[in-house]
Amino acid sequence: MRAREQKREISAAKGGMMLVVKQYRCTHSSTCICMKGHLSEDAIFLVFQHLNWNPRLIAAMSCVCKWFDEVAKRVLWKEFCRTRAPKMMLDLQSSGSHSVDGNWKALGKLLIYCSGCSKGGLFNTIHIPGHFVYRTRFSRTSGKSFLIPQCRTDVLYVSDPCEHLDQGEEGDVGFFRGVFKSFSFSRVRKMLIDRQAKFHPTEVCPYCKAKLWSMLQANMIPRSASCRLGAYDDCIEYYVCLNGHMLGISTLLPLSDSEEVSELE
């Protein structure tokens, strides 16, 4: 059985040191059912393991109280990510870290949620609501196509585009998302800082709420990205947040044109 992870704080007291277990208090009223006691983390782990780490149920449980939310962030979302994308998670943690940049909840959301866009937001030309997707393939090989040559030693996983067809004058639109491995040590981050790239003044990452750099403004979008997506060269844009989450949009070529691009590659 999985050993219970406990957070402890050391508090100084007269006459010596005393171990104090960190308490998680319910943020609901005194009549909330949560006040009657919690299941152990071991029991919660086994229940959600039986449920195959259902993300909707994890999200629902997180809303019950602060204690459940902490367990979900620390344990359940981590196991969901490991189950949904085991090879990808193994690679992201191969540097020896027990966590990932940002947090497990943010990464779990990135795996299954297309952020869409709204007028006046990051991609302000059209309004397409964000939505959950059943399954998306993330590729490390595809990620290389989104990096300029100086940065191709970085590891970036990028999803297949989530296609939204017939968007009026915008045509066929594709949203894509991704995540860097060890972004704080990446060449992309260093180059963004060296180029004094500016953060977006109002918008933040929809997955972790961190500030966003525009790769378009930093002139760091290679032509290979549009080839990989089957998109027009001048109609692709993406952002990277401080935690290494990437989200972008492209205007997709008609199917016949996409086939021609593939042949050229």
Side-chain angles (χ1 to χ4, degrees):
M1 184 179 291
R2 178 185 176 86
R4 185 183 304 175
E5 298 176 12
Q6 294 183 330
K7 291 185 177 179
R8 295 181 180 274
E9 297 176 344
I10 298 179
S11 174
K14 289 185 179 180
M17 302 293 290
M18 178 177 64
L19 288 176
V20 179
V21 178
K22 185 174 182 179
Q23 299 294 321
Y24 296 100
R25 296 181 179 276
C26 178
T27 56
H28 296 176
S29 68
S30 59
T31 59
C32 178
I33 192 172
C34 300
M35 302 299 290
K36 297 180 181 180
H38 294 294
L39 295 171
S40 70
E41 288 188 18
D42 291 339
I44 293 173
F45 181 91
L46 291 173
V47 168
F48 278 90
Q49 184 181 53
H50 179 72
L51 295 171
N52 197 29
W53 314 108
N54 186 301
R56 294 183 181 274
L57 295 179
I58 295 175
M61 193 200 76
S62 299
C63 297
V64 173
C65 73
K66 186 176 179 181
W67 189 84
F68 279 131
D69 186 46
E70 290 289 343
V71 173
K73 287 178 179 177
R74 186 162 35 85
V75 180
L76 303 183
W77 285 115
K78 179 179 180 179
E79 296 303 325
F80 166 76
C81 292
R82 286 179 166 180
T83 302
R84 182 60 64 95
K87 292 182 180 179
M88 178 176 163
M89 294 307 118
L90 188 63
D91 187 23
L92 291 178
Q93 289 188 285
S94 62
S95 59
S97 172
H98 294 290
S99 186
V100 292
D101 292 338
N103 57 62
W104 289 107
K105 181 179 179 179
L107 183 56
K109 184 177 180 180
L110 184 142
L111 291 180
I112 59 174
Y113 185 74
C114 169
S115 62
C117 65
S118 58
K119 289 185 177 179
L122 285 179
F123 316 112
N124 59 8
T125 55
I126 52 176
H127 176 73
I128 298 177
H131 61 94
F132 289 95
V133 294
Y134 176 69
R135 190 177 298 276
T136 304
R137 185 181 70 94
F138 284 78
S139 169
R140 174 173 172 165
T141 302
S142 294
K144 296 294 183 185
S145 300
F146 292 80
L147 301 173
I148 58 177
Q150 304 95 303
C151 300
R152 285 186 180 161
T153 55
D154 289 346
V155 174
L156 170 64
Y157 283 87
V158 176
S159 71
D160 292 333
C162 179
E163 297 185 2
H164 295 262
L165 307 180
D166 301 322
Q167 298 298 314
E169 294 181 357
E170 298 298 323
D172 298 339
V173 173
F175 292 100
F176 53 94
R177 57 200 189 278
V179 59
F180 280 84
K181 175 182 177 180
S182 302
F183 182 66
S184 57
F185 301 104
S186 68
R187 289 181 178 272
V188 165
R189 181 179 181 274
K190 183 179 184 303
M191 186 169 290
L192 285 166
I193 293 173
D194 290 344
R195 294 188 177 189
Q196 298 182 333
K198 304 296 183 182
F199 291 119
H200 193 284
T202 57
E203 298 298 313
V204 295
C205 176
Y207 303 108
C208 68
K209 307 305 179 185
K211 293 182 178 181
L212 291 160
W213 277 300
S214 170
M215 299 293 278
L216 181 61
Q217 290 183 356
N219 195 27
M220 293 176 63
I221 298 181
R223 290 194 62 188
S224 54
S226 57
C227 292
R228 175 64 65 176
L229 292 167
Y232 292 101
D233 287 340
D234 58 347
C235 296
I236 178 172
E237 183 177 7
Y238 49 93
Y239 291 81
V240 176
C241 81
L242 285 168
N243 288 316
H245 303 136
M246 186 190 81
L247 61 154
I249 187 173
S250 62
T251 300
L252 303 175
L253 289 163
L255 182 60
S256 58
D257 290 344
S258 298
E259 291 173 348
E260 291 174 5
V261 170
S262 299
E263 290 172 3
L264 289 174
E265 288 186 304

